[in-house]
């Protein structure tokens, strides 16, 4: 006889630290700063499954509390920072790290200091930092300069650095790989994701590898990472001094986790390639209109990469493929609406027949 189902609600999701405690660098005394992050949906994509003649699932990380995968690393980094007595935290960010850091810092009563590049941070992300009470400093320079300053502050002043150069961040972020294996019951053949500062691809590799080493997965996936063509230092093999892409979240010319990402690529038998802004925006629209998943441009890079690889005949049929879509589309509505001539298709009087007519129903 089957075991009785636990009552509904008896086992709420507890956030990634409590769910994966034994895998993380926390102990019984670590104060857990959580917003219930993780446990995000793994959504099957019908059109991508058909396109690849395989099984494609999206790991929808925009469903995290602040709207991106960054929350997984931030619950860990902020919890450890509090345990170590930090009073203030700092990060450089293209927007999502700062949105996440400021939320968790607010919760922990820490002072959040945010360094953002000049211009081109999505408005939604800035609004998040403002609402969470951050000290926002704009630097005349790009993300890479912001990260240098952020490191400099942490070296010389009483403030903890929570960029992904902080290894605790990657430990938290690896839980997404655990969740994928937990839900599929096995590792995928192939996992795709965007690459910016290159922390996340490194974190997924840690997660997939640890599960395999522990016998919880029989294999590890090949990791395919995608940078934006105008910000593709790893693909080119040299830093890009003036990175440029519509996908502002990954407008990074000298990724901090460069070597770790190359190791993840090589050890997994994977690749890191570039996709154009046009391919990114097309993938973003397809995700919205076919899957019902609204992501920000950077988040669509993995899907853009898969579509390009299928077109190039590089994807064998019959594979189980997972793709991380990293952040929510609502963070950057300006880019989503750019090029849309008019949001409103018709204006009518308050009349059913008129509505039916313009909607093509009559
Ligand atoms: C939506 O917030 O670097 O390769 O400062 O926001 O781990 O850097 C954001 C990165 C992909 C790239 N998708 O991940 C920041 C920041 C979204 C992102 C990435 C980011 P990494």
């Amino acid at each position: 006889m089957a075991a009785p189902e636990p009552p509904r609600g008896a086992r709420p999701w507890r956030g990634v630290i409590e769910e994966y405690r034994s895998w993380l660098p926390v102990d019984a005394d670590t104060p857990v700063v959580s917003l219930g992050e993780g446990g995000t949906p793994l959504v099957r994509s019908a059109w991508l499954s058909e396109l690849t003649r395989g099984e494609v699932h999206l790991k929808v990380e925009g469903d995290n509390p602040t709207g991106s995968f960054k929350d997984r690393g931030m619950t860990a980094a902020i919890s450890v920072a509090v345990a170590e007595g930090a009073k203030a935290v700092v990060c450089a960010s293209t927007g999502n790290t700062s949105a996440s850091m400021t939320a968790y810092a607010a919760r922990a009563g820490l002072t959040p200091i945010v360094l953002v590049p000049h211009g081109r941070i999505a408005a939604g992300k800035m609004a998040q930092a403002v609402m969470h009470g951050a000290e926002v400093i704009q630097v005349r320079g790009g993300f890479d300069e912001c990260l240098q300053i952020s490191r400099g502050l942490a070296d010389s002043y009483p403030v903890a650095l929570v960029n992904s150069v902080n290894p605790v961040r990657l430990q938290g972020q690896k839980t997404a790989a655990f969740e994928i294996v937990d839900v599929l019951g096995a590792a995928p053949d192939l996992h795709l994701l965007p690459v910016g500062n290159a922390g996340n691809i490194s974190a997924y590799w840690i997660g997939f590898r640890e599960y395999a080493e522990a016998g919880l997965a029989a294999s590890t996936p090949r990791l395919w990472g995608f940078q934006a063509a105008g910000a593709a230092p790893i693909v080119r093999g040299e830093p890009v001094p003036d990175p440029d892409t519509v996908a502002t979240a990954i407008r990074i010319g000298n990724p901090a986790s460069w070597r770790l990402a190359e190791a993840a690529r090589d050890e997994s038998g994977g690749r890191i390639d570039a996709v154009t802004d046009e391919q990114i925006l097309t993938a973003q629209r397809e995700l919205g209109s076919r899957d019902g998943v609204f992501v920000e441009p950077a988040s669509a890079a993995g899907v853009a990469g898969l579509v390009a690889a299928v077109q190039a005949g590089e994807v064998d049929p019959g594979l189980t493929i997972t793709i991380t879509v990293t952040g929510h589309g609502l963070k950057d509505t300006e880019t989503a609406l750019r090029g849309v001539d008019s949001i409103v298709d018709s204006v009518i009087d308050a009349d059913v027949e008129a509505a039916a007519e313009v909607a093509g129903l009559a």
Side-chain angles (χ1 to χ4, degrees), residues 67-70 92-98 125 143 163-164 169-170 173 194-201 249-250 252 296 298-299 325-328 331:
S68 87
F69 71 96
K70 302 285 183 184
S93 183
T94 57
N96 278 325
T97 298
S98 60
K125 300 174 188 177
F143 171 83
N163 277 109
S164 55
R169 281 274 311 282
L170 301 192
Q173 283 174 209
V195 172
N197 211 25
N200 213 27
I201 189 170
I250 53 174
I252 295 174
E296 64 168 290
S299 304
V325 289
T326 42
H328 207 290
K331 285 172 175 276

PDB file of all heavy atoms in Angstrom, residues 67-70 92-98 125 143 163-164 169-170 173 194-201 249-250 252 296 298-299 325-328 331, ligand 1:
ATOM      1  N   GLY A  67      13.595  37.920  -8.176  1.00  0.00           N
ATOM      2  CA  GLY A  67      13.448  37.823  -9.618  1.00  0.00           C
ATOM      3  C   GLY A  67      14.662  37.334 -10.379  1.00  0.00           C
ATOM      4  O   GLY A  67      14.682  37.440 -11.612  1.00  0.00           O
ATOM      5  N   SER A  68      15.653  36.791  -9.692  1.00  0.00           N
ATOM      6  CA  SER A  68      16.776  36.173 -10.412  1.00  0.00           C
ATOM      7  C   SER A  68      17.444  35.093  -9.573  1.00  0.00           C
ATOM      8  O   SER A  68      17.206  34.995  -8.361  1.00  0.00           O
ATOM      9  CB  SER A  68      17.821  37.218 -10.836  1.00  0.00           C
ATOM     10  OG  SER A  68      18.758  37.437  -9.793  1.00  0.00           O
ATOM     11  N   PHE A  69      18.303  34.313 -10.250  1.00  0.00           N
ATOM     12  CA  PHE A  69      19.046  33.238  -9.591  1.00  0.00           C
ATOM     13  C   PHE A  69      19.990  33.735  -8.507  1.00  0.00           C
ATOM     14  O   PHE A  69      20.479  32.945  -7.703  1.00  0.00           O
ATOM     15  CB  PHE A  69      19.868  32.461 -10.638  1.00  0.00           C
ATOM     16  CG  PHE A  69      21.048  33.231 -11.193  1.00  0.00           C
ATOM     17  CD1 PHE A  69      22.316  33.056 -10.674  1.00  0.00           C
ATOM     18  CD2 PHE A  69      20.873  34.136 -12.240  1.00  0.00           C
ATOM     19  CE1 PHE A  69      23.404  33.774 -11.182  1.00  0.00           C
ATOM     20  CE2 PHE A  69      21.956  34.857 -12.744  1.00  0.00           C
ATOM     21  CZ  PHE A  69      23.218  34.674 -12.213  1.00  0.00           C
ATOM     22  N   LYS A  70      20.250  35.018  -8.482  1.00  0.00           N
ATOM     23  CA  LYS A  70      21.231  35.559  -7.533  1.00  0.00           C
ATOM     24  C   LYS A  70      20.823  35.282  -6.088  1.00  0.00           C
ATOM     25  O   LYS A  70      21.676  35.225  -5.212  1.00  0.00           O
ATOM     26  CB  LYS A  70      21.392  37.057  -7.731  1.00  0.00           C
ATOM     27  CG  LYS A  70      21.812  37.475  -9.129  1.00  0.00           C
ATOM     28  CD  LYS A  70      23.264  37.201  -9.410  1.00  0.00           C
ATOM     29  CE  LYS A  70      23.657  37.709 -10.798  1.00  0.00           C
ATOM     30  NZ  LYS A  70      25.053  37.373 -11.147  1.00  0.00           N
ATOM     31  N   ALA A  92      29.563  44.946  -6.651  1.00  0.00           N
ATOM     32  CA  ALA A  92      29.452  45.570  -7.965  1.00  0.00           C
ATOM     33  C   ALA A  92      28.354  44.826  -8.681  1.00  0.00           C
ATOM     34  O   ALA A  92      28.188  43.626  -8.463  1.00  0.00           O
ATOM     35  CB  ALA A  92      30.755  45.411  -8.726  1.00  0.00           C
ATOM     36  N   SER A  93      27.594  45.504  -9.546  1.00  0.00           N
ATOM     37  CA  SER A  93      26.499  44.781 -10.174  1.00  0.00           C
ATOM     38  C   SER A  93      26.018  45.408 -11.463  1.00  0.00           C
ATOM     39  O   SER A  93      26.019  46.627 -11.616  1.00  0.00           O
ATOM     40  CB  SER A  93      25.327  44.686  -9.199  1.00  0.00           C
ATOM     41  OG  SER A  93      24.281  43.928  -9.768  1.00  0.00           O
ATOM     42  N   THR A  94      25.599  44.545 -12.377  1.00  0.00           N
ATOM     43  CA  THR A  94      24.863  45.004 -13.549  1.00  0.00           C
ATOM     44  C   THR A  94      23.364  45.072 -13.229  1.00  0.00           C
ATOM     45  O   THR A  94      22.565  45.284 -14.119  1.00  0.00           O
ATOM     46  CB  THR A  94      25.101  44.057 -14.738  1.00  0.00           C
ATOM     47  OG1 THR A  94      24.713  42.728 -14.349  1.00  0.00           O
ATOM     48  CG2 THR A  94      26.565  44.037 -15.159  1.00  0.00           C
ATOM     49  N   GLY A  95      23.003  44.839 -11.969  1.00  0.00           N
ATOM     50  CA  GLY A  95      21.625  45.059 -11.533  1.00  0.00           C
ATOM     51  C   GLY A  95      21.014  43.956 -10.698  1.00  0.00           C
ATOM     52  O   GLY A  95      20.362  44.220  -9.693  1.00  0.00           O
ATOM     53  N   ASN A  96      21.182  42.714 -11.098  1.00  0.00           N
ATOM     54  CA  ASN A  96      20.517  41.645 -10.361  1.00  0.00           C
ATOM     55  C   ASN A  96      21.204  41.285  -9.046  1.00  0.00           C
ATOM     56  O   ASN A  96      20.532  41.008  -8.051  1.00  0.00           O
ATOM     57  CB  ASN A  96      20.399  40.395 -11.229  1.00  0.00           C
ATOM     58  CG  ASN A  96      19.211  40.486 -12.157  1.00  0.00           C
ATOM     59  OD1 ASN A  96      18.172  41.041 -11.797  1.00  0.00           O
ATOM     60  ND2 ASN A  96      19.336  39.957 -13.370  1.00  0.00           N
ATOM     61  N   THR A  97      22.526  41.302  -9.053  1.00  0.00           N
ATOM     62  CA  THR A  97      23.236  41.032  -7.801  1.00  0.00           C
ATOM     63  C   THR A  97      22.855  42.095  -6.776  1.00  0.00           C
ATOM     64  O   THR A  97      22.609  41.788  -5.605  1.00  0.00           O
ATOM     65  CB  THR A  97      24.759  41.025  -8.025  1.00  0.00           C
ATOM     66  OG1 THR A  97      25.075  39.978  -8.940  1.00  0.00           O
ATOM     67  CG2 THR A  97      25.512  40.788  -6.727  1.00  0.00           C
ATOM     68  N   SER A  98      22.776  43.348  -7.220  1.00  0.00           N
ATOM     69  CA  SER A  98      22.444  44.419  -6.277  1.00  0.00           C
ATOM     70  C   SER A  98      20.999  44.308  -5.800  1.00  0.00           C
ATOM     71  O   SER A  98      20.717  44.509  -4.616  1.00  0.00           O
ATOM     72  CB  SER A  98      22.726  45.786  -6.873  1.00  0.00           C
ATOM     73  OG  SER A  98      21.973  46.003  -8.037  1.00  0.00           O
ATOM     74  N   LYS A 125      15.554  46.951 -11.730  1.00  0.00           N
ATOM     75  CA  LYS A 125      16.619  46.540 -10.803  1.00  0.00           C
ATOM     76  C   LYS A 125      17.039  47.697  -9.905  1.00  0.00           C
ATOM     77  O   LYS A 125      17.291  47.510  -8.714  1.00  0.00           O
ATOM     78  CB  LYS A 125      17.822  46.029 -11.591  1.00  0.00           C
ATOM     79  CG  LYS A 125      17.491  44.820 -12.463  1.00  0.00           C
ATOM     80  CD  LYS A 125      18.653  44.414 -13.350  1.00  0.00           C
ATOM     81  CE  LYS A 125      18.207  43.341 -14.333  1.00  0.00           C
ATOM     82  NZ  LYS A 125      19.298  42.964 -15.270  1.00  0.00           N
ATOM     83  N   PHE A 143      31.117  47.527 -15.544  1.00  0.00           N
ATOM     84  CA  PHE A 143      31.032  46.576 -14.430  1.00  0.00           C
ATOM     85  C   PHE A 143      32.409  46.198 -13.902  1.00  0.00           C
ATOM     86  O   PHE A 143      32.612  46.075 -12.696  1.00  0.00           O
ATOM     87  CB  PHE A 143      30.295  45.310 -14.873  1.00  0.00           C
ATOM     88  CG  PHE A 143      30.355  44.208 -13.845  1.00  0.00           C
ATOM     89  CD1 PHE A 143      29.468  44.187 -12.784  1.00  0.00           C
ATOM     90  CD2 PHE A 143      31.339  43.224 -13.925  1.00  0.00           C
ATOM     91  CE1 PHE A 143      29.552  43.185 -11.820  1.00  0.00           C
ATOM     92  CE2 PHE A 143      31.425  42.216 -12.964  1.00  0.00           C
ATOM     93  CZ  PHE A 143      30.524  42.197 -11.911  1.00  0.00           C
ATOM     94  N   ASN A 163      30.184  39.805  -4.017  1.00  0.00           N
ATOM     95  CA  ASN A 163      30.204  39.386  -5.433  1.00  0.00           C
ATOM     96  C   ASN A 163      30.566  37.912  -5.485  1.00  0.00           C
ATOM     97  O   ASN A 163      30.997  37.331  -4.489  1.00  0.00           O
ATOM     98  CB  ASN A 163      31.197  40.231  -6.235  1.00  0.00           C
ATOM     99  CG  ASN A 163      30.582  41.550  -6.671  1.00  0.00           C
ATOM    100  OD1 ASN A 163      30.950  42.604  -6.164  1.00  0.00           O
ATOM    101  ND2 ASN A 163      29.629  41.480  -7.589  1.00  0.00           N
ATOM    102  N   SER A 164      30.431  37.322  -6.693  1.00  0.00           N
ATOM    103  CA  SER A 164      30.648  35.874  -6.770  1.00  0.00           C
ATOM    104  C   SER A 164      32.121  35.487  -6.654  1.00  0.00           C
ATOM    105  O   SER A 164      32.454  34.309  -6.665  1.00  0.00           O
ATOM    106  CB  SER A 164      30.015  35.298  -8.033  1.00  0.00           C
ATOM    107  OG  SER A 164      30.496  35.965  -9.169  1.00  0.00           O
ATOM    108  N   ARG A 169      29.010  32.413  -2.446  1.00  0.00           N
ATOM    109  CA  ARG A 169      27.974  32.676  -3.446  1.00  0.00           C
ATOM    110  C   ARG A 169      27.781  31.477  -4.373  1.00  0.00           C
ATOM    111  O   ARG A 169      26.659  31.043  -4.657  1.00  0.00           O
ATOM    112  CB  ARG A 169      28.346  33.916  -4.274  1.00  0.00           C
ATOM    113  CG  ARG A 169      28.069  35.261  -3.603  1.00  0.00           C
ATOM    114  CD  ARG A 169      26.634  35.739  -3.838  1.00  0.00           C
ATOM    115  NE  ARG A 169      26.254  35.664  -5.243  1.00  0.00           N
ATOM    116  CZ  ARG A 169      26.611  36.531  -6.187  1.00  0.00           C
ATOM    117  NH1 ARG A 169      27.323  37.585  -5.871  1.00  0.00           N
ATOM    118  NH2 ARG A 169      26.220  36.362  -7.437  1.00  0.00           N
ATOM    119  N   LEU A 170      28.891  30.939  -4.862  1.00  0.00           N
ATOM    120  CA  LEU A 170      28.795  29.818  -5.796  1.00  0.00           C
ATOM    121  C   LEU A 170      28.215  28.591  -5.095  1.00  0.00           C
ATOM    122  O   LEU A 170      27.473  27.806  -5.698  1.00  0.00           O
ATOM    123  CB  LEU A 170      30.166  29.480  -6.388  1.00  0.00           C
ATOM    124  CG  LEU A 170      30.872  30.602  -7.146  1.00  0.00           C
ATOM    125  CD1 LEU A 170      32.070  30.052  -7.917  1.00  0.00           C
ATOM    126  CD2 LEU A 170      29.930  31.305  -8.106  1.00  0.00           C
ATOM    127  N   GLN A 173      24.576  29.016  -5.160  1.00  0.00           N
ATOM    128  CA  GLN A 173      24.029  28.920  -6.524  1.00  0.00           C
ATOM    129  C   GLN A 173      24.042  27.489  -7.075  1.00  0.00           C
ATOM    130  O   GLN A 173      23.231  27.148  -7.939  1.00  0.00           O
ATOM    131  CB  GLN A 173      24.782  29.873  -7.456  1.00  0.00           C
ATOM    132  CG  GLN A 173      24.337  31.325  -7.246  1.00  0.00           C
ATOM    133  CD  GLN A 173      25.126  32.365  -8.035  1.00  0.00           C
ATOM    134  OE1 GLN A 173      25.245  33.500  -7.600  1.00  0.00           O
ATOM    135  NE2 GLN A 173      25.649  32.009  -9.184  1.00  0.00           N
ATOM    136  N   PRO A 194      23.248  31.405 -19.673  1.00  0.00           N
ATOM    137  CA  PRO A 194      23.992  32.599 -20.048  1.00  0.00           C
ATOM    138  C   PRO A 194      25.279  32.694 -19.220  1.00  0.00           C
ATOM    139  O   PRO A 194      25.337  32.186 -18.101  1.00  0.00           O
ATOM    140  CB  PRO A 194      23.055  33.752 -19.675  1.00  0.00           C
ATOM    141  CG  PRO A 194      21.756  33.140 -19.289  1.00  0.00           C
ATOM    142  CD  PRO A 194      22.013  31.728 -18.941  1.00  0.00           C
ATOM    143  N   VAL A 195      26.271  33.396 -19.753  1.00  0.00           N
ATOM    144  CA  VAL A 195      27.523  33.628 -19.017  1.00  0.00           C
ATOM    145  C   VAL A 195      27.835  35.120 -19.024  1.00  0.00           C
ATOM    146  O   VAL A 195      27.879  35.749 -20.092  1.00  0.00           O
ATOM    147  CB  VAL A 195      28.682  32.841 -19.651  1.00  0.00           C
ATOM    148  CG1 VAL A 195      30.014  33.235 -18.997  1.00  0.00           C
ATOM    149  CG2 VAL A 195      28.462  31.344 -19.512  1.00  0.00           C
ATOM    150  N   GLY A 196      28.031  35.675 -17.824  1.00  0.00           N
ATOM    151  CA  GLY A 196      28.410  37.083 -17.701  1.00  0.00           C
ATOM    152  C   GLY A 196      29.713  37.178 -16.925  1.00  0.00           C
ATOM    153  O   GLY A 196      30.800  37.125 -17.473  1.00  0.00           O
ATOM    154  N   ASN A 197      29.557  37.255 -15.590  1.00  0.00           N
ATOM    155  CA  ASN A 197      30.744  37.243 -14.736  1.00  0.00           C
ATOM    156  C   ASN A 197      31.239  35.814 -14.521  1.00  0.00           C
ATOM    157  O   ASN A 197      32.234  35.592 -13.857  1.00  0.00           O
ATOM    158  CB  ASN A 197      30.423  37.934 -13.405  1.00  0.00           C
ATOM    159  CG  ASN A 197      31.613  38.633 -12.797  1.00  0.00           C
ATOM    160  OD1 ASN A 197      32.545  39.016 -13.493  1.00  0.00           O
ATOM    161  ND2 ASN A 197      31.592  38.779 -11.492  1.00  0.00           N
ATOM    162  N   ALA A 198      30.504  34.855 -15.050  1.00  0.00           N
ATOM    163  CA  ALA A 198      30.887  33.441 -15.136  1.00  0.00           C
ATOM    164  C   ALA A 198      30.803  32.672 -13.819  1.00  0.00           C
ATOM    165  O   ALA A 198      31.320  31.560 -13.707  1.00  0.00           O
ATOM    166  CB  ALA A 198      32.275  33.295 -15.770  1.00  0.00           C
ATOM    167  N   GLY A 199      30.126  33.262 -12.835  1.00  0.00           N
ATOM    168  CA  GLY A 199      29.947  32.560 -11.568  1.00  0.00           C
ATOM    169  C   GLY A 199      28.954  31.420 -11.672  1.00  0.00           C
ATOM    170  O   GLY A 199      29.169  30.332 -11.127  1.00  0.00           O
ATOM    171  N   ASN A 200      27.866  31.654 -12.393  1.00  0.00           N
ATOM    172  CA  ASN A 200      26.784  30.672 -12.366  1.00  0.00           C
ATOM    173  C   ASN A 200      27.169  29.362 -13.052  1.00  0.00           C
ATOM    174  O   ASN A 200      26.890  28.285 -12.545  1.00  0.00           O
ATOM    175  CB  ASN A 200      25.527  31.267 -13.004  1.00  0.00           C
ATOM    176  CG  ASN A 200      24.249  30.749 -12.373  1.00  0.00           C
ATOM    177  OD1 ASN A 200      24.239  30.357 -11.191  1.00  0.00           O
ATOM    178  ND2 ASN A 200      23.168  30.721 -13.136  1.00  0.00           N
ATOM    179  N   ILE A 201      27.831  29.455 -14.192  1.00  0.00           N
ATOM    180  CA  ILE A 201      28.233  28.223 -14.882  1.00  0.00           C
ATOM    181  C   ILE A 201      29.206  27.430 -13.991  1.00  0.00           C
ATOM    182  O   ILE A 201      29.128  26.190 -13.918  1.00  0.00           O
ATOM    183  CB  ILE A 201      28.827  28.523 -16.280  1.00  0.00           C
ATOM    184  CG1 ILE A 201      29.023  27.224 -17.071  1.00  0.00           C
ATOM    185  CG2 ILE A 201      30.133  29.309 -16.199  1.00  0.00           C
ATOM    186  CD1 ILE A 201      29.385  27.440 -18.546  1.00  0.00           C
ATOM    187  N   ALA A 249      22.630  42.807 -18.339  1.00  0.00           N
ATOM    188  CA  ALA A 249      23.028  41.976 -17.189  1.00  0.00           C
ATOM    189  C   ALA A 249      24.350  41.266 -17.441  1.00  0.00           C
ATOM    190  O   ALA A 249      25.089  40.977 -16.500  1.00  0.00           O
ATOM    191  CB  ALA A 249      21.938  40.959 -16.871  1.00  0.00           C
ATOM    192  N   ILE A 250      24.652  40.978 -18.705  1.00  0.00           N
ATOM    193  CA  ILE A 250      25.896  40.264 -19.009  1.00  0.00           C
ATOM    194  C   ILE A 250      26.873  41.137 -19.809  1.00  0.00           C
ATOM    195  O   ILE A 250      27.686  40.642 -20.564  1.00  0.00           O
ATOM    196  CB  ILE A 250      25.623  38.908 -19.714  1.00  0.00           C
ATOM    197  CG1 ILE A 250      24.729  39.071 -20.952  1.00  0.00           C
ATOM    198  CG2 ILE A 250      24.987  37.933 -18.739  1.00  0.00           C
ATOM    199  CD1 ILE A 250      24.562  37.774 -21.758  1.00  0.00           C
ATOM    200  N   ILE A 252      29.788  42.415 -19.508  1.00  0.00           N
ATOM    201  CA  ILE A 252      30.956  42.234 -18.647  1.00  0.00           C
ATOM    202  C   ILE A 252      32.131  41.830 -19.534  1.00  0.00           C
ATOM    203  O   ILE A 252      32.017  40.896 -20.326  1.00  0.00           O
ATOM    204  CB  ILE A 252      30.665  41.154 -17.568  1.00  0.00           C
ATOM    205  CG1 ILE A 252      29.555  41.666 -16.625  1.00  0.00           C
ATOM    206  CG2 ILE A 252      31.933  40.782 -16.810  1.00  0.00           C
ATOM    207  CD1 ILE A 252      29.062  40.660 -15.618  1.00  0.00           C
ATOM    208  N   GLU A 296      14.252  38.484 -18.896  1.00  0.00           N
ATOM    209  CA  GLU A 296      15.009  39.643 -19.378  1.00  0.00           C
ATOM    210  C   GLU A 296      15.962  39.177 -20.484  1.00  0.00           C
ATOM    211  O   GLU A 296      16.234  37.975 -20.598  1.00  0.00           O
ATOM    212  CB  GLU A 296      15.740  40.318 -18.225  1.00  0.00           C
ATOM    213  CG  GLU A 296      16.812  39.473 -17.567  1.00  0.00           C
ATOM    214  CD  GLU A 296      17.682  40.312 -16.641  1.00  0.00           C
ATOM    215  OE1 GLU A 296      18.446  41.136 -17.175  1.00  0.00           O
ATOM    216  OE2 GLU A 296      17.592  40.136 -15.411  1.00  0.00           O
ATOM    217  N   ALA A 298      19.233  39.063 -21.140  1.00  0.00           N
ATOM    218  CA  ALA A 298      20.378  38.201 -20.809  1.00  0.00           C
ATOM    219  C   ALA A 298      19.937  36.768 -20.539  1.00  0.00           C
ATOM    220  O   ALA A 298      20.634  35.812 -20.884  1.00  0.00           O
ATOM    221  CB  ALA A 298      21.110  38.750 -19.582  1.00  0.00           C
ATOM    222  N   SER A 299      18.778  36.637 -19.941  1.00  0.00           N
ATOM    223  CA  SER A 299      18.287  35.321 -19.528  1.00  0.00           C
ATOM    224  C   SER A 299      17.968  34.422 -20.702  1.00  0.00           C
ATOM    225  O   SER A 299      17.859  33.207 -20.549  1.00  0.00           O
ATOM    226  CB  SER A 299      17.025  35.487 -18.682  1.00  0.00           C
ATOM    227  OG  SER A 299      17.299  36.327 -17.594  1.00  0.00           O
ATOM    228  N   VAL A 325      16.911  29.925 -17.431  1.00  0.00           N
ATOM    229  CA  VAL A 325      16.529  31.295 -17.781  1.00  0.00           C
ATOM    230  C   VAL A 325      16.629  32.077 -16.469  1.00  0.00           C
ATOM    231  O   VAL A 325      15.905  31.834 -15.525  1.00  0.00           O
ATOM    232  CB  VAL A 325      15.155  31.371 -18.475  1.00  0.00           C
ATOM    233  CG1 VAL A 325      15.255  30.798 -19.884  1.00  0.00           C
ATOM    234  CG2 VAL A 325      14.057  30.652 -17.729  1.00  0.00           C
ATOM    235  N   THR A 326      17.598  33.019 -16.441  1.00  0.00           N
ATOM    236  CA  THR A 326      18.162  33.471 -15.175  1.00  0.00           C
ATOM    237  C   THR A 326      17.389  34.555 -14.430  1.00  0.00           C
ATOM    238  O   THR A 326      17.503  34.672 -13.216  1.00  0.00           O
ATOM    239  CB  THR A 326      19.595  33.974 -15.432  1.00  0.00           C
ATOM    240  OG1 THR A 326      19.595  34.743 -16.657  1.00  0.00           O
ATOM    241  CG2 THR A 326      20.565  32.823 -15.596  1.00  0.00           C
ATOM    242  N   GLY A 327      16.622  35.392 -15.162  1.00  0.00           N
ATOM    243  CA  GLY A 327      15.979  36.504 -14.464  1.00  0.00           C
ATOM    244  C   GLY A 327      14.659  36.928 -15.109  1.00  0.00           C
ATOM    245  O   GLY A 327      14.416  36.668 -16.299  1.00  0.00           O
ATOM    246  N   HIS A 328      13.836  37.588 -14.350  1.00  0.00           N
ATOM    247  CA  HIS A 328      12.473  37.929 -14.774  1.00  0.00           C
ATOM    248  C   HIS A 328      12.425  39.089 -15.769  1.00  0.00           C
ATOM    249  O   HIS A 328      13.154  40.066 -15.624  1.00  0.00           O
ATOM    250  CB  HIS A 328      11.631  38.283 -13.550  1.00  0.00           C
ATOM    251  CG  HIS A 328      10.174  38.025 -13.770  1.00  0.00           C
ATOM    252  ND1 HIS A 328       9.410  38.784 -14.620  1.00  0.00           N
ATOM    253  CD2 HIS A 328       9.361  37.063 -13.285  1.00  0.00           C
ATOM    254  CE1 HIS A 328       8.173  38.309 -14.632  1.00  0.00           C
ATOM    255  NE2 HIS A 328       8.126  37.256 -13.834  1.00  0.00           N
ATOM    256  N   LYS A 331      11.879  43.041 -14.921  1.00  0.00           N
ATOM    257  CA  LYS A 331      12.970  43.916 -14.484  1.00  0.00           C
ATOM    258  C   LYS A 331      13.328  44.952 -15.541  1.00  0.00           C
ATOM    259  O   LYS A 331      13.877  45.992 -15.232  1.00  0.00           O
ATOM    260  CB  LYS A 331      14.213  43.078 -14.181  1.00  0.00           C
ATOM    261  CG  LYS A 331      14.105  42.317 -12.870  1.00  0.00           C
ATOM    262  CD  LYS A 331      15.247  41.372 -12.709  1.00  0.00           C
ATOM    263  CE  LYS A 331      15.237  40.684 -11.367  1.00  0.00           C
ATOM    264  NZ  LYS A 331      15.864  41.472 -10.293  1.00  0.00           N
TER     265      LYS A 331
HETATM  266  C1  LIG B   1      19.838  37.765 -15.599  1.00  0.00           C
HETATM  267  O1  LIG B   1      24.009  41.288 -11.339  1.00  0.00           O
HETATM  268  O2  LIG B   1      26.717  39.940 -12.974  1.00  0.00           O
HETATM  269  O3  LIG B   1      27.809  34.471 -15.384  1.00  0.00           O
HETATM  270  O4  LIG B   1      26.046  41.982 -11.377  1.00  0.00           O
HETATM  271  O5  LIG B   1      21.797  39.109 -14.085  1.00  0.00           O
HETATM  272  O6  LIG B   1      27.051  34.201 -13.021  1.00  0.00           O
HETATM  273  O7  LIG B   1      27.575  36.463 -13.926  1.00  0.00           O
HETATM  274  C2  LIG B   1      24.450  39.459 -13.370  1.00  0.00           C
HETATM  275  C3  LIG B   1      24.619  38.369 -14.162  1.00  0.00           C
HETATM  276  C4  LIG B   1      22.916  35.950 -16.355  1.00  0.00           C
HETATM  277  C5  LIG B   1      25.261  36.068 -15.736  1.00  0.00           C
HETATM  278  N1  LIG B   1      21.645  36.343 -16.330  1.00  0.00           N
HETATM  279  O8  LIG B   1      25.583  35.222 -14.671  1.00  0.00           O
HETATM  280  C6  LIG B   1      25.169  41.203 -11.758  1.00  0.00           C
HETATM  281  C7  LIG B   1      25.532  40.173 -12.730  1.00  0.00           C
HETATM  282  C8  LIG B   1      21.265  37.389 -15.575  1.00  0.00           C
HETATM  283  C9  LIG B   1      22.213  38.079 -14.821  1.00  0.00           C
HETATM  284  C10 LIG B   1      23.890  36.582 -15.633  1.00  0.00           C
HETATM  285  C11 LIG B   1      23.556  37.676 -14.860  1.00  0.00           C
HETATM  286  P1  LIG B   1      27.081  35.071 -14.226  1.00  0.00           P
END
